[in-house]
Amino acid sequence: MAGTAPPTAVWSNWAGNQHGTATAVLRPTSVAEVAEAIRAAATTGDRIRVVGSGHSFTGIAVTDGQRIELTELDGGTNVDTERRLVTVPAGMTLRALNDLLAAHGLALPNLGDIDAQTVAGAISTGTHGTGAAYGCLSTFVEALTLVTGAGEVLRCSAEEHPDVFAAARVGLGALGVLVEVTLRCVDAFVLLAHERPARLPAVLDDLPALVDAHDHVEFYWFPYTDRVQVKTNDRVPADDRPLSRLRGWLDDNFLSNTVFAGACRLGRAVPALAPGISAVSARALTERRYTGRSDRVFCTPRRVRFVEMEYALPRDALPTALDALRRIVDRLPFKVLFPVEVRFTAADDIWLSHGYGRDSAYLAIHQYVGMPYEPYLRAFEEVATELGGRPHWGKLHYRDAASLAPAYPRFADFLALRARLDPDRVLTNPHLARLLGP
């Protein structure tokens, strides 16, 4: 196969907490080559996993069998501006997709804050942004092409193989290899971003009204303080308040990356300073308003490495979860160096979406690389699980099939579909065996 690399090809993810050594690295150039590789693996009893940009914190992409990279799989792109549909190779990054759409006067309706992921990786793990009226990015998928674990090529949509479509939009790479995706877009738009410091109690008291009043709302709580940074994004007709190049570099590169990285290194070296660093960081953030192209407002550079856990909670459970999280942080035997992120999404009907059947509040906790984190994550996971939380598939968690089944009404249906599409478990790995059963 084209692009085959030497055996023992070592891989690690962006955060550096997941590693694997593949027996071979396959870089197919056509869908037929993907199908051929899967059928061959089924014959030999081998295992295959697909990797994208490595922005998942779990072992979802790790394999000790063969690894497929889709960087050379390019079936071309098709942009239908009249119907606002775009069809792209699943290995395209979100950054490249955003630029492609902008060149045609289109945009995705919503995005998360990182654009380095591949389309397939973002869809498969339920990547999301924030906005009470918007589901995860997978809700924008109009159709997809999947090479199943049996080597069959399926074109899926709400009309064609609807059960596969309902599952594969957040499929964890367990049903097949996504090779092509059609996304429903909107006309290109401008966002007005408003970022401001606030007190956590005041934000929680006014939260329903705040979420309803804006297109997109998120906030960051700084541990050991009652301070938060609130960010709202709203659609406006004109890009008439752009950030100057200097202000953009100062805020989003120098302060948010260079200075913050230095503060984290200091906190790691002298943990007792962490509460003071958090307080200073919260006070250093000033209010600002600016406009910009939607994807450039949604997405920001992230160069400070961390590990992360994120849970989707019933929206009314957020105050309880945050109250418990504050107590957890205060009694940890080590310090937390990263702020906690809170976002909001709408309900959807995708079987393993974190937002299946309910509006959600997402609570994401982070820790700087090289710092202890497992007791922090496990303590919060216990709280989140009791509140009906569902773990983000691309973020660290410790749940297994027995624990996850009650959280997802269509979990058994997903397992049955997996048994049909990948009967020989060609596409499994130890992480999936824990999540979905052997």
Side-chain angles (χ1 to χ4, degrees), residues 135-194:
C136 64
L137 269 61
S138 301
T139 60
F140 309 148
V141 177
E142 190 77 6
L144 57 87
T145 301
L146 185 77
V147 182
T148 72
E152 181 183 6
V153 179
L154 295 182
R155 175 72 172 173
C156 307
S157 66
E159 292 76 35
E160 193 174 6
H161 305 293
D163 57 339
V164 180
F165 184 65
R169 282 178 288 165
V170 181
L172 315 185
L175 306 177
V177 176
L178 280 174
V179 292
E180 187 178 78
V181 178
T182 299
L183 295 153
R184 180 162 294 282
C185 307
V186 296
D187 291 335
F189 59 97
V190 172
L191 285 173
L192 169 64
H194 181 200

Side-chain angles (χ1 to χ4, degrees), residues 102-367:
H104 289 83
L106 298 172
L108 290 180
N110 198 11
L111 286 164
D113 51 14
I114 297 175
D115 59 6
Q117 308 100 316
T118 63
V119 172
I123 290 169
S124 297
T125 57
T127 295
H128 62 95
T130 189
Y134 301 89
C136 64
L137 269 61
S138 301
T139 60
F140 309 148
V141 177
E142 190 77 6
L144 57 87
T145 301
L146 185 77
V147 182
T148 72
E152 181 183 6
V153 179
L154 295 182
R155 175 72 172 173
C156 307
S157 66
E159 292 76 35
E160 193 174 6
H161 305 293
D163 57 339
V164 180
F165 184 65
R169 282 178 288 165
V170 181
L172 315 185
L175 306 177
V177 176
L178 280 174
V179 292
E180 187 178 78
V181 178
T182 299
L183 295 153
R184 180 162 294 282
C185 307
V186 296
D187 291 335
F189 59 97
V190 172
L191 285 173
L192 169 64
H194 181 200
E195 300 167 7
R196 60 180 175 86
R199 301 282 183 173
L200 178 61
V203 170
L204 293 179
D205 286 346
D206 190 43
L207 193 59
L210 178 68
V211 171
D212 289 343
H214 297 278
D215 295 331
H216 311 273
V217 173
E218 63 184 314
F219 66 87
Y220 294 84
W221 167 61
F222 290 84
Y224 314 108
T225 78
D226 69 350
R227 293 178 178 271
V228 298
Q229 182 78 354
V230 179
K231 180 178 180 180
T232 61
N233 292 328
D234 291 292
R235 285 156 175 74
V236 292
D239 186 6
D240 55 3
R241 299 184 65 168
L243 277 179
S244 70
R245 182 172 296 183
L246 176 61
R247 181 67 189 272
W249 173 83
L250 180 66
D251 289 350
D252 297 328
N253 286 282
F254 184 66
L255 292 178
S256 297
N257 284 287
T258 305
V259 173
F260 183 57
C264 286
R265 287 193 296 270
L266 179 61
R268 185 173 61 188
V270 189
L273 297 177
I277 291 171
S278 188
V280 170
S281 297
R283 288 181 172 87
L285 292 171
T286 58
E287 184 171 11
R288 66 175 183 170
R289 286 184 173 89
Y290 62 93
T291 57
R293 198 176 90 180
S294 60
D295 60 287
R296 293 176 178 171
V297 174
F298 284 134
C299 305
T300 54
R302 294 289 184 92
R303 289 190 291 275
V304 183
R305 308 273 170 158
F306 55 86
V307 293
E308 180 180 359
M309 168 181 280
E310 185 172 35
Y311 260 83
L313 300 163
R315 204 173 286 176
D316 59 5
L318 177 63
T320 302
L322 274 170
D323 185 57
L325 182 60
R326 297 182 76 179
R327 294 195 300 272
I328 289 169
V329 168
D330 286 342
R331 65 173 182 256
L332 286 171
F334 51 83
K335 300 302 182 183
V336 175
L337 298 178
F338 258 75
V340 171
E341 183 179 19
V342 179
R343 295 181 285 176
F344 306 90
T345 64
D348 62 57
D349 62 353
I350 303 170
W351 292 0
L352 290 193
S353 168
H354 326 110
Y356 181 86
R358 72 185 189 199
D359 295 338
S360 298
Y362 278 84
L363 206 161
I365 63 175
H366 312 70
Q367 183 66 305

